[in-house]
Amino acid sequence: NIIRFSTDVEGLFREPVPASSDNISRGEAFADRLEAAGGTSINEALVETLGQKIDSDIPHFVLFMTDGLPTVGATDINTILSNVRRDNGRAARLFTFGVGYNVDTVLLDQLATEHRGGSDYIRPNEDIAVKIEGLYNKIAYPVMTNLAMDFGSGHVFDSYPKRLPDLFRGGQVTTVGRFRTPIS
């Protein structure tokens, strides 16, 4: 599905649909009509997206692209993060793209990190198609998902990230932390 957001939020379809030729054509036509105008209702767009019914047996990826800061509805970063945590019951992987210079990188990075996705930024005059192709090539080849670390009897603290991201072909997962007792 495609969810357009500015001052208000509008979905192309009521719920996600199969990627048939007809639905892809409708999606392309919808995207061609998109214009940057009005405010930026980030919270409402994410709540709407995560509230849609999806088949629980298939991976759920959300590609969130914005050219601005949250200016409509909930604008507090902690409120938005809390609402997304609350509504992401299906554990969607959230990939964020900030377009331009006027984006909230702290919010977008935190959304991506907490929801096992990734974040990227596109400056004016950069080729957005290259970035999107890179994302597609990444998520099309998952190697391992729902990663967790077992430290045995070691007392580990201050580890980051708290939830490990998924591992995709060509990628790596890095974690750091401290321990009080040796790991055995």
Side-chain angles (χ1 to χ4, degrees):
N1 201 357
I2 300 172
I3 309 287
R4 179 202 60 78
F5 65 99
S6 56
T7 304
D8 61 346
V9 174
E10 171 192 21
L12 171 58
F13 302 104
R14 293 183 63 136
E15 303 291 340
V17 297
S20 67
S21 297
D22 181 54
N23 289 337
I24 291 171
S25 294
R26 290 177 66 190
E28 289 171 343
F30 184 81
D32 285 343
R33 293 188 305 270
L34 293 177
E35 294 182 22
T40 307
S41 185
I42 287 176
N43 182 72
E44 188 178 350
L46 289 168
V47 167
E48 170 74 20
T49 300
L50 295 170
Q52 294 194 349
K53 295 177 186 172
I54 61 162
D55 185 343
S56 62
D57 294 336
I58 60 172
H60 187 194
F61 294 98
V62 172
L63 170 57
F64 184 74
M65 187 177 301
T66 182
D67 67 349
L69 302 164
T71 59
V72 174
T75 58
D76 175 68
I77 290 175
N78 292 321
T79 300
I80 295 169
L81 291 170
S82 176
N83 290 343
V84 172
R85 280 184 215 113
R86 177 197 69 211
D87 292 346
N88 194 9
R90 293 181 184 89
R93 285 6 186 212
L94 184 55
F95 293 85
T96 61
F97 276 92
V99 180
Y101 296 114
N102 194 28
V103 295
D104 191 333
T105 58
V106 172
L107 172 61
L108 298 180
D109 288 345
Q110 189 71 30
L111 285 167
T113 299
E114 284 188 18
H115 300 280
R116 295 184 173 177
S119 57
D120 207 345
Y121 299 94
I122 302 149
R123 292 188 172 106
N125 303 321
E126 271 191 285
D127 188 353
I128 194 168
V130 171
K131 297 273 187 164
I132 299 296
E133 181 180 1
L135 170 66
Y136 174 79
N137 287 332
K138 178 179 180 178
I139 65 175
Y141 303 102
V143 176
M144 291 188 283
T145 61
N146 300 320
L147 298 173
M149 292 186 69
D150 181 354
F151 296 102
S153 62
H155 181 139
V156 176
F157 64 102
D158 285 346
S159 63
Y160 180 82
K162 295 292 183 198
R163 290 180 61 190
L164 296 174
D166 294 336
L167 178 63
F168 297 94
R169 183 174 75 181
Q172 63 182 8
V173 173
T174 303
T175 185
V176 296
R178 301 188 297 168
F179 60 91
R180 293 197 200 296
T181 58
I183 298 172
S184 55

